[in-house]
Structures are given as C-alpha cells and as structure tokens.
Amino acid sequence: MAHKIAPSILAADFSNLQSACDIIENSSADWYHIDVMDGVFVPNISFGMPVIKAIKPLSTKPFDVHLMIVDPDRYINDFKAVGADILTVHYEACNHLHRTLQAIKAEGMKAGVALNPHTSVSVLEDVIKDIDLVCLMSVNPGFGGQSFIEQTYDKVLKLKRMIKESGATTLIEIDGGVTSANAKRLTDAGADVLVAGSFVFKSSDPKNTCNELKDLVS
Ligand code: DX5
Ligand code: ZN
C-alpha cells in the first residue's frame, strides 16, 4: 500500500503560504496537514478559518485539518465551509465523541480522532468503526519541532490489531517528530499516513525532502 505523506504547514513560512502550497502541490505529498490551535486545549495559538479559506484556491490536494481546540462541535460546519476534507478532533476535547463523529460525516467530511500521548488507544474500541482516521500524537500537541515519543510504535501495533479485529477500515496517522529516521519503522508497524512539519519545511529543499520521505515508505 502506498503510504501517505501530509506536510504540516505549521512549520512553513507564514509570510509566504503560497510557496508552502507550491511545495505540497508539486511534490509527492498526498495531503495538507493543517493545525488549528486555540490557546486553551493546547498552550499555543496558530491560525483559523480565514487562513484555511485563503489557501484553499491554491490547492488541489485534500485538507487534513487537525483541531486542537476545546468543544470542536461549535465549528464543524465552518471548517467544512472553508475547505476541510478530513476533520480531526481530539478525544480529550469531546464529551460526546460519537455524536461529534456523526456531525462531521453529516457535513460530508471524513472524521478523524486524535489521541494525546498519554491516552490509550483502547478508549476507541467501541467507536473504531465510526472513525475514518486515528491520529496518534507522537509529541504533546501544541508545537512543531519536538522529539518523537518512542512509545508510539507500540500504540501503532495495538491500534492496527484493534482495527483489523473489528473489520474497520480506519487509517492510522502519526503526528509529531516524524523524520526519515523513524518513518519506515512507523509504516512497518502499521501507520498509513505520516505528518511531517519541521522535517519538510525547515529543510533546505522541502520539495525534495518530501519526495524522499514518500519514497522511503512507498
Ligand atoms: C503538533 C502538531 C503537528 C506539528 C508537527 O501539535 O499537531 O502537526 O505541526 O510538527 P513536527 O513534524 O515539526 O513535529
Ligand atoms: Zn497536527
């Protein structure tokens, strides 16, 4: 299976998002990974709907929007309106996760659930068939450029087993600290999508770095 690469624009030059879009469009990247932070769920604020709306016309590839916000139900239709194709909410931010997932799908988007490093994949057992994508956080959310948490490999194996046993078709995405040093081990363990922020955008040739990462896991 061709594994997917989703560069995170959080690590891009915000004064030139057009260039970030060009890199994603003209490389073998599969998705845009778009990190929305509210300063409450995570100790950082990134950007919101106006920025997503502004770059949508520059793009042809799917927008994978990762909401690091409390009570995401308030904004599901707004994110659909600005161009989200996959909308991921945090398990830790939802009181009624099943309802939230249905609301995302009712808007015609794929529904994702992100888990913080301390949250066991077992909490998703009863809802796994309703989830299109599980985003395993391999750093504590809030900032790019952090070190990969090694425990993630075990979580991938455990989650992959759960998905197979339940007959679900859920994709596993890894977010945080992904580099060429851990990419292959992650996909070998069962990851389907790798998010890469700093590794791609802080490199000297982001397009080439992206292509190399894709080749590594193809
Ligand atoms: C962290 C974000 C990540 C981040 C990844 O809160 O969810 O998507 O941009 O950045 P790197 O790849 O630099 O760890
Ligand atoms: Zn993210």
Side-chain angles (χ1 to χ4, degrees), residues 33 35 66 68 175:
H33 185 81
D35 289 305
H66 176 194
M68 284 160 274
D175 188 5

Side-chain angles (χ1 to χ4, degrees), residues 69-218:
I69 66 173
V70 295
D71 198 7
D73 301 64
R74 295 171 293 165
Y75 300 114
I76 290 170
N77 53 359
D78 294 299
F79 282 106
K80 170 66 183 178
V82 295
D85 297 289
I86 303 148
L87 195 63
T88 296
V89 296
H90 264 264
Y91 167 81
E92 301 84 1
C94 295
N95 288 329
H96 302 284
L97 182 63
H98 183 272
R99 180 184 292 151
T100 306
L101 293 171
Q102 305 315 318
I104 294 171
K105 291 198 237 184
E107 289 285 347
M109 296 179 283
K110 299 280 186 200
V113 178
L115 296 181
N116 279 338
H118 72 273
T119 304
S120 167
V121 298
S122 62
V123 300
L124 299 180
E125 210 169 333
D126 292 334
V127 79
I128 194 70
K129 281 187 157 176
D130 295 291
I131 307 175
D132 295 305
L133 173 141
V134 173
C135 174
L136 293 179
M137 293 308 303
S138 38
V139 298
N140 285 293
F143 303 91
Q146 303 180 80
S147 304
F148 180 82
I149 297 172
E150 297 285 319
Q151 174 62 22
T152 310
Y153 297 116
D154 286 345
K155 291 179 81 169
V156 178
L157 293 169
K158 206 167 159 188
L159 178 59
K160 196 69 175 184
R161 206 175 314 128
M162 184 200 295
I163 291 168
K164 274 193 187 150
E165 282 172 9
S166 68
T169 54
T170 316
L171 297 178
I172 301 178
E173 179 178 71
I174 309 300
D175 188 5
V178 171
T179 68
S180 55
N182 53 27
K184 186 75 172 70
R185 188 169 165 198
L186 285 165
T187 54
D188 284 350
D192 303 292
V193 185
L194 302 179
V195 174
S198 313
F199 185 69
V200 167
F201 285 110
K202 305 295 187 206
S203 73
S204 55
D205 184 349
K207 185 177 148 191
N208 192 44
T209 303
C210 195
N211 291 342
E212 283 177 4
L213 197 58
K214 176 79 178 181
D215 287 348
L216 206 58
V217 296
S218 286

